Amino acid sequence: MTVLAIKGLNVTFSTEGGQLHALKNVSFEVPERRIVGVVGESGCGKSTLINAILGLLADNGSVDAGSITFEGEDLTRLGAARMQELRGQRISTVFQDPMGALNPVLSVGRQMRNIQYRSGRSRNEKDARSEAMLRQVRIPDAQSALAQYPHEFSGGMQQRVAIAMALMMRPALLIADEPTTALDATLEVATIELLQELQQDIACSVLFISHHLGVIAELCDDVVVMYAGEVVERGTTRQVFHAPCHPYTRRLLECDPARQSGRTRHLPTIPGEVPDLRHRPPGCVFATRCDQRVDACDKTPPDVAVAAGHVARCVLAAAR
Amino acid sequence: MSGILEVRDVEVTFETGPLMRRRSILGVAGVSFDLHAGETFAIVGESGSGKTTLARAINGLQDISAGSIRFDEQRIDTLGARLMKPLRRRMSMMFQDPVGSLSPRMKVGNLIAEPFRIHGIVDKDPGVEVPRLLSLVGLTPEFADRYPHQLSGGQARRVGVARAIALNPALIIADEPTAGLDVSVQGEVLNLLNDLRERLGLAMIIITHNLHVVHHVADRMAVMYLGRFVEAGDTDEIFRAPRHPYTAALLSANPEPDPDKARDRIALPAEVPSLLARPAGCEFHSRCPWVAARCKSEAPEFVQGETRKVACHTPLEPGAKPPELEGAQ
């Protein structure tokens, strides 16, 4: 079953310089109990995508077309009250900066109790659940941790507390937006392993946003590659990492210094700039930077299914 | 050949806690290394390991409580701000946040000319120098008229590099030069630093927690843990066969973009000890998978081996697996 299905999503922002087409024809699915990674560089629309799902687009932004179906409901048509019911209960989020998610003036226990305001449990039951949850994210001495304030924890622990809070209500979908970016290598790995474990335990789906290809490769079942507000390629992690079909994916993977097995003094790059989204090029959005450009790239590229579940938005993919 | 920079037993102390119960903690606890002209030295470690404090100490932005720092054979840690200022022409710093380190109210041209003004250099014409520096870092002269918020992360980094090399320094200290940059842009900045180092004969200290970056740019590296170097030596050799368990764990924790890559990870307990309560003996023993009785009481020396220095009683042999993994195989 599919937990989240995004179909033909278009999001625009009205800006002083004109309409900014931030997401163009975005489609992908998050199946039940799978971890789907979204990769892409800054400005590719990752955050807009999250905000669109959560119904938190800025006032000048709007969903012009398409649907976001979550457990049978189209989120783009829901009212504010229903959205609020879903957020934190059925869909929850973890962000890059845990301190942004934690209230600095309330103890962790108080915040975790507050999250359970809909549960109808007694105060003691709520606290017991909070404690169990903290233990599950491996916070040492969970009982006394409840009385502590967020600043008393290290960065890695704060992020684990944030994860515990996000998963407290056993949501169907966890959106994790660069949750490990601010952490160091050893903590990053520990957090990924923890997420994997919790995801299986709670049996939720995860939409994992990151620009770190190594983390995506390790954690995710499926990958969605975004560029300039479009999904240029999607498939299982193996399909995309082992047989990338879109030139952008290929170049992006080449750029990762981890892919250079030998030591090199000259690292590959992708020359050029992401186009101004107020003036999208009529054809393929990557054409200006693509080294395999052909005449057909002047027209809107089709979504080509190269294998079961593996789709690339590139005319060249059809020829393969 | 004598080095351009000589750091000996440097300690940095911070005071912390409420007034009546002041305690001092060692942010940097005795670090020594040399740097030669044209060489790149990387300092790697987790946040809070003292990397940035060490960099600030070298640059004179942070007082040291013990040890000495010599630059161009002149002792600099005892110089006051006034005497330090002329030396800053020869030693520049690139700070972490690329956009945040540029004043939002100044145009790029002004930002790049600022070092000349600060150091009262009048024999250089900014009208010539600014375009020259912009082209050195791969930007067109038109960028001089832009404000920092009109730059992408990579472009802001380039402006930071232009400012750092404006006065022809002999040494650049780059604190997390690629943090927050996309992979496709990371390469650009690192290539630029490499090129400049070759063309201008710069010595460089790169501070980072990104090991992939270190591998490609640094000749030598040091791994820092709780304010001390635990392993230092040739980058290639350390990557090939780490000898300190912490280095080995860091290298094994490096996620690689290959879903089928075998990962025999060295798992570390996640909690880094507090600097207020440094563990007795070897300070890494509380997290070390190879811990032995001796490690808990006796601190290992940072000894010079054949090709590198390691602070461990029983340095790892190449390909060593942690005890519990070995049992499982």
Side-chain angles (χ1 to χ4, degrees), chain A residues 41-42 157 160 184 186 189 218 238 241-242 257-260 262-267 269, chain B residues 46-47 182 184 188 191 194 209 212 215-219 236 253 257-258 260 263 265 271:
Chain A
E41 305 190 88
S42 6
M157 281 166 86
R160 299 214 296 280
D184 296 306
T186 52
V189 166
E218 179 150 354
R238 276 205 181 79
F241 278 74
H242 287 329
R259 275 276 165 126
Q260 317 297 318
R263 189 162 168 221
T264 169
R265 285 287 180 188
H266 213 84
L267 294 161
T269 59
Chain B
E46 295 175 304
S47 44
D182 292 319
S184 69
E188 280 179 30
N191 292 343
N194 265 337
H209 66 264
H212 296 305
H215 196 188
H216 292 299
V217 299
D219 306 304
D236 262 343
D258 181 350
D260 290 328
R263 301 172 217 281
R265 271 226 171 104
E271 286 340 302

mmCIF file of all heavy atoms in Angstrom, chain A residues 41-42 157 160 184 186 189 218 238 241-242 257-260 262-267 269, chain B residues 46-47 182 184 188 191 194 209 212 215-219 236 253 257-258 260 263 265 271:
data_model
loop_
_atom_site.group_PDB
_atom_site.id
_atom_site.type_symbol
_atom_site.label_atom_id
_atom_site.label_comp_id
_atom_site.label_asym_id
_atom_site.label_seq_id
_atom_site.Cartn_x
_atom_site.Cartn_y
_atom_site.Cartn_z
ATOM 1 N N GLU A 41 20.509 19.363 -4.745
ATOM 2 C CA GLU A 41 21.345 20.416 -4.193
ATOM 3 C C GLU A 41 20.496 21.586 -3.729
ATOM 4 O O GLU A 41 19.296 21.623 -3.968
ATOM 5 C CB GLU A 41 22.352 20.832 -5.249
ATOM 6 C CG GLU A 41 23.113 19.610 -5.719
ATOM 7 C CD GLU A 41 24.287 19.957 -6.575
ATOM 8 O OE1 GLU A 41 25.353 20.180 -6.021
ATOM 9 O OE2 GLU A 41 24.120 20.045 -7.803
ATOM 10 N N SER A 42 21.135 22.538 -3.077
ATOM 11 C CA SER A 42 20.350 23.638 -2.539
ATOM 12 C C SER A 42 19.549 24.310 -3.645
ATOM 13 O O SER A 42 20.033 24.471 -4.763
ATOM 14 C CB SER A 42 21.218 24.681 -1.840
ATOM 15 O OG SER A 42 22.562 24.422 -1.996
ATOM 16 N N MET A 157 22.520 14.073 21.097
ATOM 17 C CA MET A 157 21.418 13.661 21.976
ATOM 18 C C MET A 157 20.173 14.504 21.712
ATOM 19 O O MET A 157 19.053 13.983 21.742
ATOM 20 C CB MET A 157 21.843 13.777 23.440
ATOM 21 C CG MET A 157 22.710 12.621 23.889
ATOM 22 S SD MET A 157 23.524 12.974 25.450
ATOM 23 C CE MET A 157 22.264 12.474 26.599
ATOM 24 N N ARG A 160 18.428 13.073 18.917
ATOM 25 C CA ARG A 160 17.745 11.828 19.282
ATOM 26 C C ARG A 160 16.466 12.126 20.067
ATOM 27 O O ARG A 160 15.459 11.429 19.919
ATOM 28 C CB ARG A 160 18.693 10.915 20.075
ATOM 29 C CG ARG A 160 19.925 10.520 19.265
ATOM 30 C CD ARG A 160 20.422 9.133 19.577
ATOM 31 N NE ARG A 160 20.902 8.937 20.922
ATOM 32 C CZ ARG A 160 22.106 9.310 21.350
ATOM 33 N NH1 ARG A 160 22.935 9.900 20.523
ATOM 34 N NH2 ARG A 160 22.470 9.080 22.585
ATOM 35 N N ASP A 184 28.549 14.902 13.396
ATOM 36 C CA ASP A 184 29.817 14.388 12.922
ATOM 37 C C ASP A 184 29.677 12.940 12.482
ATOM 38 O O ASP A 184 28.707 12.285 12.815
ATOM 39 C CB ASP A 184 30.836 14.478 14.039
ATOM 40 C CG ASP A 184 31.085 15.915 14.408
ATOM 41 O OD1 ASP A 184 31.406 16.687 13.501
ATOM 42 O OD2 ASP A 184 30.921 16.260 15.571
ATOM 43 N N THR A 186 30.747 9.889 13.202
ATOM 44 C CA THR A 186 30.363 8.746 14.028
ATOM 45 C C THR A 186 28.934 8.895 14.545
ATOM 46 O O THR A 186 28.180 7.932 14.600
ATOM 47 C CB THR A 186 31.316 8.554 15.229
ATOM 48 O OG1 THR A 186 31.430 9.783 15.925
ATOM 49 C CG2 THR A 186 32.683 8.116 14.781
ATOM 50 N N VAL A 189 26.353 8.225 11.627
ATOM 51 C CA VAL A 189 26.115 6.801 11.415
ATOM 52 C C VAL A 189 25.220 6.236 12.511
ATOM 53 O O VAL A 189 24.285 5.484 12.249
ATOM 54 C CB VAL A 189 27.458 6.055 11.350
ATOM 55 C CG1 VAL A 189 27.244 4.573 11.470
ATOM 56 C CG2 VAL A 189 28.164 6.389 10.062
ATOM 57 N N GLU A 218 23.020 4.448 2.082
ATOM 58 C CA GLU A 218 23.035 3.513 3.183
ATOM 59 C C GLU A 218 21.647 3.284 3.790
ATOM 60 O O GLU A 218 21.281 2.187 4.162
ATOM 61 C CB GLU A 218 23.966 4.064 4.255
ATOM 62 C CG GLU A 218 24.023 3.177 5.448
ATOM 63 C CD GLU A 218 25.356 3.254 6.147
ATOM 64 O OE1 GLU A 218 26.268 3.905 5.632
ATOM 65 O OE2 GLU A 218 25.456 2.648 7.205
ATOM 66 N N ARG A 238 19.371 0.980 -5.416
ATOM 67 C CA ARG A 238 20.318 0.243 -6.265
ATOM 68 C C ARG A 238 20.232 0.704 -7.709
ATOM 69 O O ARG A 238 21.246 0.943 -8.351
ATOM 70 C CB ARG A 238 20.024 -1.254 -6.210
ATOM 71 C CG ARG A 238 20.660 -1.886 -5.041
ATOM 72 C CD ARG A 238 20.938 -3.355 -5.183
ATOM 73 N NE ARG A 238 21.535 -3.733 -3.920
ATOM 74 C CZ ARG A 238 20.807 -3.948 -2.825
ATOM 75 N NH1 ARG A 238 19.497 -3.882 -2.860
ATOM 76 N NH2 ARG A 238 21.407 -4.243 -1.697
ATOM 77 N N PHE A 241 21.721 4.331 -7.975
ATOM 78 C CA PHE A 241 23.153 4.464 -7.710
ATOM 79 C C PHE A 241 23.999 3.588 -8.622
ATOM 80 O O PHE A 241 25.113 3.952 -8.958
ATOM 81 C CB PHE A 241 23.471 4.143 -6.236
ATOM 82 C CG PHE A 241 23.233 5.305 -5.318
ATOM 83 C CD1 PHE A 241 21.953 5.696 -4.979
ATOM 84 C CD2 PHE A 241 24.290 6.038 -4.801
ATOM 85 C CE1 PHE A 241 21.718 6.775 -4.141
ATOM 86 C CE2 PHE A 241 24.076 7.124 -3.952
ATOM 87 C CZ PHE A 241 22.790 7.484 -3.630
ATOM 88 N N HIS A 242 23.480 2.446 -9.037
ATOM 89 C CA HIS A 242 24.286 1.561 -9.884
ATOM 90 C C HIS A 242 24.078 1.827 -11.371
ATOM 91 O O HIS A 242 24.983 1.634 -12.163
ATOM 92 C CB HIS A 242 23.973 0.097 -9.575
ATOM 93 C CG HIS A 242 24.525 -0.347 -8.263
ATOM 94 N ND1 HIS A 242 25.687 0.169 -7.732
ATOM 95 C CD2 HIS A 242 24.078 -1.254 -7.355
ATOM 96 C CE1 HIS A 242 25.928 -0.408 -6.571
ATOM 97 N NE2 HIS A 242 24.960 -1.263 -6.307
ATOM 98 N N PRO A 257 33.209 13.293 -3.634
ATOM 99 C CA PRO A 257 34.625 12.931 -3.449
ATOM 100 C C PRO A 257 34.798 11.502 -2.960
ATOM 101 O O PRO A 257 35.836 10.887 -3.172
ATOM 102 C CB PRO A 257 35.140 13.933 -2.411
ATOM 103 C CG PRO A 257 33.985 14.735 -1.957
ATOM 104 C CD PRO A 257 32.825 14.459 -2.850
ATOM 105 N N ALA A 258 33.746 10.946 -2.341
ATOM 106 C CA ALA A 258 33.858 9.573 -1.855
ATOM 107 C C ALA A 258 33.934 8.580 -3.008
ATOM 108 O O ALA A 258 34.405 7.462 -2.856
ATOM 109 C CB ALA A 258 32.664 9.237 -0.974
ATOM 110 N N ARG A 259 33.437 9.002 -4.199
ATOM 111 C CA ARG A 259 33.472 8.098 -5.355
ATOM 112 C C ARG A 259 34.860 7.999 -5.974
ATOM 113 O O ARG A 259 35.138 7.099 -6.741
ATOM 114 C CB ARG A 259 32.503 8.618 -6.439
ATOM 115 C CG ARG A 259 31.091 8.165 -6.228
ATOM 116 C CD ARG A 259 30.896 6.787 -6.812
ATOM 117 N NE ARG A 259 29.669 6.192 -6.323
ATOM 118 C CZ ARG A 259 28.718 5.719 -7.122
ATOM 119 N NH1 ARG A 259 28.847 5.769 -8.424
ATOM 120 N NH2 ARG A 259 27.645 5.188 -6.608
ATOM 121 N N GLN A 260 35.706 8.970 -5.675
ATOM 122 C CA GLN A 260 37.055 8.936 -6.228
ATOM 123 C C GLN A 260 37.866 7.980 -5.383
ATOM 124 O O GLN A 260 38.245 8.310 -4.280
ATOM 125 C CB GLN A 260 37.712 10.319 -6.172
ATOM 126 C CG GLN A 260 36.801 11.454 -6.567
ATOM 127 C CD GLN A 260 36.364 11.336 -7.989
ATOM 128 O OE1 GLN A 260 37.181 10.993 -8.862
ATOM 129 N NE2 GLN A 260 35.113 11.596 -8.255
ATOM 130 N N GLY A 262 40.901 6.575 -5.976
ATOM 131 C CA GLY A 262 42.281 7.029 -5.845
ATOM 132 C C GLY A 262 42.292 8.455 -5.347
ATOM 133 O O GLY A 262 41.275 9.144 -5.365
ATOM 134 N N ARG A 263 43.426 8.928 -4.940
ATOM 135 C CA ARG A 263 43.519 10.288 -4.458
ATOM 136 C C ARG A 263 43.680 11.197 -5.656
ATOM 137 O O ARG A 263 44.464 10.921 -6.550
ATOM 138 C CB ARG A 263 44.730 10.384 -3.555
ATOM 139 C CG ARG A 263 44.791 11.671 -2.847
ATOM 140 C CD ARG A 263 45.723 11.525 -1.670
ATOM 141 N NE ARG A 263 45.979 12.843 -1.172
ATOM 142 C CZ ARG A 263 47.154 13.231 -0.773
ATOM 143 N NH1 ARG A 263 48.172 12.427 -0.823
ATOM 144 N NH2 ARG A 263 47.307 14.439 -0.320
ATOM 145 N N THR A 264 42.886 12.247 -5.700
ATOM 146 C CA THR A 264 43.008 13.151 -6.828
ATOM 147 C C THR A 264 43.137 14.571 -6.336
ATOM 148 O O THR A 264 42.619 14.922 -5.287
ATOM 149 C CB THR A 264 41.806 13.032 -7.789
ATOM 150 O OG1 THR A 264 41.870 14.109 -8.714
ATOM 151 C CG2 THR A 264 40.484 13.084 -7.039
ATOM 152 N N ARG A 265 43.858 15.367 -7.089
ATOM 153 C CA ARG A 265 44.004 16.762 -6.736
ATOM 154 C C ARG A 265 42.948 17.594 -7.446
ATOM 155 O O ARG A 265 42.779 18.758 -7.179
ATOM 156 C CB ARG A 265 45.392 17.265 -7.150
ATOM 157 C CG ARG A 265 46.460 16.773 -6.217
ATOM 158 C CD ARG A 265 46.351 17.501 -4.910
ATOM 159 N NE ARG A 265 47.380 17.047 -3.998
ATOM 160 C CZ ARG A 265 47.430 17.394 -2.729
ATOM 161 N NH1 ARG A 265 46.499 18.169 -2.240
ATOM 162 N NH2 ARG A 265 48.384 16.967 -1.962
ATOM 163 N N HIS A 266 42.294 16.974 -8.426
ATOM 164 C CA HIS A 266 41.306 17.739 -9.162
ATOM 165 C C HIS A 266 39.970 17.022 -9.129
ATOM 166 O O HIS A 266 39.790 15.998 -9.763
ATOM 167 C CB HIS A 266 41.776 17.975 -10.584
ATOM 168 C CG HIS A 266 41.306 19.291 -11.092
ATOM 169 N ND1 HIS A 266 41.983 20.462 -10.839
ATOM 170 C CD2 HIS A 266 40.187 19.624 -11.766
ATOM 171 C CE1 HIS A 266 41.301 21.466 -11.356
ATOM 172 N NE2 HIS A 266 40.213 20.996 -11.926
ATOM 173 N N LEU A 267 39.047 17.556 -8.379
ATOM 174 C CA LEU A 267 37.756 16.898 -8.222
ATOM 175 C C LEU A 267 36.802 17.318 -9.326
ATOM 176 O O LEU A 267 36.821 18.463 -9.769
ATOM 177 C CB LEU A 267 37.169 17.274 -6.865
ATOM 178 C CG LEU A 267 37.957 16.754 -5.674
ATOM 179 C CD1 LEU A 267 37.609 17.528 -4.422
ATOM 180 C CD2 LEU A 267 37.688 15.277 -5.474
ATOM 181 N N THR A 269 33.416 18.567 -11.160
ATOM 182 C CA THR A 269 32.358 19.498 -10.762
ATOM 183 C C THR A 269 31.313 19.513 -11.873
ATOM 184 O O THR A 269 31.530 18.941 -12.942
ATOM 185 C CB THR A 269 32.894 20.929 -10.590
ATOM 186 O OG1 THR A 269 33.462 21.342 -11.837
ATOM 187 C CG2 THR A 269 33.961 21.004 -9.518
ATOM 188 N N GLU B 46 35.675 15.504 15.715
ATOM 189 C CA GLU B 46 34.253 15.774 15.901
ATOM 190 C C GLU B 46 34.068 17.184 16.433
ATOM 191 O O GLU B 46 35.019 17.794 16.914
ATOM 192 C CB GLU B 46 33.672 14.759 16.886
ATOM 193 C CG GLU B 46 33.712 13.361 16.331
ATOM 194 C CD GLU B 46 33.249 12.326 17.337
ATOM 195 O OE1 GLU B 46 33.811 12.255 18.433
ATOM 196 O OE2 GLU B 46 32.343 11.570 16.995
ATOM 197 N N SER B 47 32.832 17.682 16.418
ATOM 198 C CA SER B 47 32.644 19.016 16.963
ATOM 199 C C SER B 47 32.945 18.984 18.451
ATOM 200 O O SER B 47 32.661 18.004 19.132
ATOM 201 C CB SER B 47 31.239 19.542 16.696
ATOM 202 O OG SER B 47 30.299 18.552 16.938
ATOM 203 N N ASP B 182 27.075 22.289 -1.737
ATOM 204 C CA ASP B 182 26.645 21.096 -2.455
ATOM 205 C C ASP B 182 27.855 20.350 -3.006
ATOM 206 O O ASP B 182 28.891 20.959 -3.270
ATOM 207 C CB ASP B 182 25.736 21.493 -3.615
ATOM 208 C CG ASP B 182 24.430 22.048 -3.112
ATOM 209 O OD1 ASP B 182 23.905 21.479 -2.143
ATOM 210 O OD2 ASP B 182 23.949 23.037 -3.667
ATOM 211 N N SER B 184 28.560 19.291 -5.900
ATOM 212 C CA SER B 184 29.097 19.756 -7.181
ATOM 213 C C SER B 184 29.903 21.037 -7.002
ATOM 214 O O SER B 184 30.733 21.377 -7.828
ATOM 215 C CB SER B 184 27.969 19.969 -8.187
ATOM 216 O OG SER B 184 27.186 21.074 -7.809
ATOM 217 N N GLU B 188 34.618 22.431 -6.710
ATOM 218 C CA GLU B 188 35.131 23.700 -7.233
ATOM 219 C C GLU B 188 36.005 24.413 -6.214
ATOM 220 O O GLU B 188 37.084 24.908 -6.537
ATOM 221 C CB GLU B 188 33.963 24.642 -7.569
ATOM 222 C CG GLU B 188 33.289 24.371 -8.874
ATOM 223 C CD GLU B 188 32.145 25.346 -9.094
ATOM 224 O OE1 GLU B 188 32.235 26.484 -8.591
ATOM 225 O OE2 GLU B 188 31.170 24.958 -9.752
ATOM 226 N N ASN B 191 39.252 22.452 -5.593
ATOM 227 C CA ASN B 191 40.166 22.590 -6.724
ATOM 228 C C ASN B 191 40.823 23.957 -6.708
ATOM 229 O O ASN B 191 42.013 24.104 -6.984
ATOM 230 C CB ASN B 191 39.419 22.408 -8.049
ATOM 231 C CG ASN B 191 38.934 20.978 -8.233
ATOM 232 O OD1 ASN B 191 39.401 20.077 -7.559
ATOM 233 N ND2 ASN B 191 37.980 20.793 -9.127
ATOM 234 N N ASN B 194 43.475 24.091 -4.108
ATOM 235 C CA ASN B 194 44.636 23.333 -4.581
ATOM 236 C C ASN B 194 45.440 24.107 -5.613
ATOM 237 O O ASN B 194 46.660 24.159 -5.559
ATOM 238 C CB ASN B 194 44.174 22.010 -5.201
ATOM 239 C CG ASN B 194 44.224 20.877 -4.190
ATOM 240 O OD1 ASN B 194 44.962 20.940 -3.213
ATOM 241 N ND2 ASN B 194 43.427 19.849 -4.420
ATOM 242 N N HIS B 209 35.429 18.179 9.314
ATOM 243 C CA HIS B 209 35.091 16.845 9.781
ATOM 244 C C HIS B 209 34.741 15.948 8.612
ATOM 245 O O HIS B 209 34.359 14.811 8.788
ATOM 246 C CB HIS B 209 33.994 16.874 10.850
ATOM 247 C CG HIS B 209 32.669 17.342 10.363
ATOM 248 N ND1 HIS B 209 32.251 18.636 10.495
ATOM 249 C CD2 HIS B 209 31.691 16.689 9.730
ATOM 250 C CE1 HIS B 209 31.053 18.749 9.961
ATOM 251 N NE2 HIS B 209 30.687 17.582 9.495
ATOM 252 N N HIS B 212 36.336 12.709 3.394
ATOM 253 C CA HIS B 212 36.569 12.590 1.950
ATOM 254 C C HIS B 212 37.335 13.795 1.443
ATOM 255 O O HIS B 212 38.193 13.689 0.571
ATOM 256 C CB HIS B 212 35.239 12.487 1.199
ATOM 257 C CG HIS B 212 34.463 11.263 1.549
ATOM 258 N ND1 HIS B 212 34.984 10.007 1.442
ATOM 259 C CD2 HIS B 212 33.212 11.108 2.011
ATOM 260 C CE1 HIS B 212 34.082 9.121 1.823
ATOM 261 N NE2 HIS B 212 32.990 9.767 2.178
ATOM 262 N N HIS B 215 41.073 13.558 2.330
ATOM 263 C CA HIS B 215 41.815 12.606 1.512
ATOM 264 C C HIS B 215 42.321 13.242 0.220
ATOM 265 O O HIS B 215 43.401 12.961 -0.253
ATOM 266 C CB HIS B 215 40.912 11.405 1.190
ATOM 267 C CG HIS B 215 41.667 10.226 0.692
ATOM 268 N ND1 HIS B 215 41.073 9.115 0.195
ATOM 269 C CD2 HIS B 215 42.993 9.992 0.618
ATOM 270 C CE1 HIS B 215 41.990 8.245 -0.176
ATOM 271 N NE2 HIS B 215 43.158 8.758 0.082
ATOM 272 N N HIS B 216 41.490 14.122 -0.339
ATOM 273 C CA HIS B 216 41.858 14.674 -1.640
ATOM 274 C C HIS B 216 42.722 15.917 -1.578
ATOM 275 O O HIS B 216 43.345 16.272 -2.571
ATOM 276 C CB HIS B 216 40.602 14.960 -2.463
ATOM 277 C CG HIS B 216 39.897 13.710 -2.871
ATOM 278 N ND1 HIS B 216 40.497 12.763 -3.661
ATOM 279 C CD2 HIS B 216 38.680 13.232 -2.575
ATOM 280 C CE1 HIS B 216 39.664 11.756 -3.831
ATOM 281 N NE2 HIS B 216 38.549 12.005 -3.173
ATOM 282 N N VAL B 217 42.748 16.615 -0.466
ATOM 283 C CA VAL B 217 43.513 17.869 -0.485
ATOM 284 C C VAL B 217 44.734 17.893 0.421
ATOM 285 O O VAL B 217 45.639 18.676 0.182
ATOM 286 C CB VAL B 217 42.632 19.096 -0.141
ATOM 287 C CG1 VAL B 217 41.521 19.255 -1.140
ATOM 288 C CG2 VAL B 217 42.090 19.017 1.258
ATOM 289 N N ALA B 218 44.756 17.064 1.460
ATOM 290 C CA ALA B 218 45.806 17.250 2.454
ATOM 291 C C ALA B 218 47.000 16.316 2.246
ATOM 292 O O ALA B 218 46.830 15.150 1.923
ATOM 293 C CB ALA B 218 45.234 17.039 3.852
ATOM 294 N N ASP B 219 48.215 16.849 2.416
ATOM 295 C CA ASP B 219 49.415 16.017 2.386
ATOM 296 C C ASP B 219 49.532 15.250 3.699
ATOM 297 O O ASP B 219 49.784 14.070 3.725
ATOM 298 C CB ASP B 219 50.669 16.894 2.227
ATOM 299 C CG ASP B 219 50.575 17.794 1.024
ATOM 300 O OD1 ASP B 219 50.374 17.259 -0.077
ATOM 301 O OD2 ASP B 219 50.669 19.018 1.187
ATOM 302 N N ASP B 236 47.665 9.691 3.029
ATOM 303 C CA ASP B 236 47.448 8.426 2.322
ATOM 304 C C ASP B 236 47.646 7.233 3.251
ATOM 305 O O ASP B 236 46.858 6.297 3.260
ATOM 306 C CB ASP B 236 48.446 8.303 1.167
ATOM 307 C CG ASP B 236 47.803 8.715 -0.136
ATOM 308 O OD1 ASP B 236 46.559 8.763 -0.178
ATOM 309 O OD2 ASP B 236 48.542 8.987 -1.095
ATOM 310 N N ALA B 253 33.251 5.039 9.734
ATOM 311 C CA ALA B 253 31.922 5.641 9.867
ATOM 312 C C ALA B 253 31.573 6.515 8.684
ATOM 313 O O ALA B 253 30.544 7.166 8.687
ATOM 314 C CB ALA B 253 31.860 6.472 11.148
ATOM 315 N N PRO B 257 28.704 6.471 -1.093
ATOM 316 C CA PRO B 257 27.528 6.417 -1.972
ATOM 317 C C PRO B 257 27.439 5.129 -2.774
ATOM 318 O O PRO B 257 27.454 5.150 -3.989
ATOM 319 C CB PRO B 257 27.717 7.643 -2.866
ATOM 320 C CG PRO B 257 29.184 7.850 -2.905
ATOM 321 C CD PRO B 257 29.729 7.381 -1.599
ATOM 322 N N ASP B 258 27.391 4.016 -2.105
ATOM 323 C CA ASP B 258 27.226 2.747 -2.795
ATOM 324 C C ASP B 258 26.354 1.861 -1.920
ATOM 325 O O ASP B 258 26.762 1.450 -0.843
ATOM 326 C CB ASP B 258 28.591 2.096 -3.016
ATOM 327 C CG ASP B 258 28.463 0.779 -3.763
ATOM 328 O OD1 ASP B 258 27.313 0.296 -3.925
ATOM 329 O OD2 ASP B 258 29.487 0.227 -4.195
ATOM 330 N N ASP B 260 25.578 -1.127 -2.009
ATOM 331 C CA ASP B 260 25.987 -2.512 -1.774
ATOM 332 C C ASP B 260 27.346 -2.627 -1.110
ATOM 333 O O ASP B 260 27.905 -3.700 -0.995
ATOM 334 C CB ASP B 260 26.007 -3.287 -3.089
ATOM 335 C CG ASP B 260 24.597 -3.496 -3.588
ATOM 336 O OD1 ASP B 260 23.710 -3.621 -2.737
ATOM 337 O OD2 ASP B 260 24.397 -3.499 -4.813
ATOM 338 N N ARG B 263 29.917 -2.911 4.852
ATOM 339 C CA ARG B 263 30.275 -1.939 5.890
ATOM 340 C C ARG B 263 30.661 -2.662 7.165
ATOM 341 O O ARG B 263 29.803 -2.996 7.967
ATOM 342 C CB ARG B 263 29.075 -1.032 6.182
ATOM 343 C CG ARG B 263 28.604 -0.272 4.979
ATOM 344 C CD ARG B 263 27.318 0.455 5.275
ATOM 345 N NE ARG B 263 26.436 0.438 4.126
ATOM 346 C CZ ARG B 263 26.571 1.235 3.091
ATOM 347 N NH1 ARG B 263 27.512 2.130 3.070
ATOM 348 N NH2 ARG B 263 25.740 1.163 2.074
ATOM 349 N N ARG B 265 31.699 -1.773 10.188
ATOM 350 C CA ARG B 265 31.841 -0.561 10.972
ATOM 351 C C ARG B 265 32.379 -0.843 12.342
ATOM 352 O O ARG B 265 32.073 -1.845 12.932
ATOM 353 C CB ARG B 265 30.468 0.052 11.141
ATOM 354 C CG ARG B 265 30.241 0.935 10.024
ATOM 355 C CD ARG B 265 29.698 2.242 10.273
ATOM 356 N NE ARG B 265 29.820 2.902 9.000
ATOM 357 C CZ ARG B 265 28.800 3.095 8.199
ATOM 358 N NH1 ARG B 265 27.612 2.743 8.558
ATOM 359 N NH2 ARG B 265 28.995 3.673 7.054
ATOM 360 N N GLU B 271 28.383 8.581 23.275
ATOM 361 C CA GLU B 271 28.612 9.722 24.158
ATOM 362 C C GLU B 271 30.068 10.114 24.311
ATOM 363 O O GLU B 271 30.894 9.363 24.805
ATOM 364 C CB GLU B 271 27.972 9.460 25.529
ATOM 365 C CG GLU B 271 26.451 9.581 25.510
ATOM 366 C CD GLU B 271 25.886 10.372 24.330
ATOM 367 O OE1 GLU B 271 26.260 11.557 24.163
ATOM 368 O OE2 GLU B 271 25.082 9.836 23.561
#
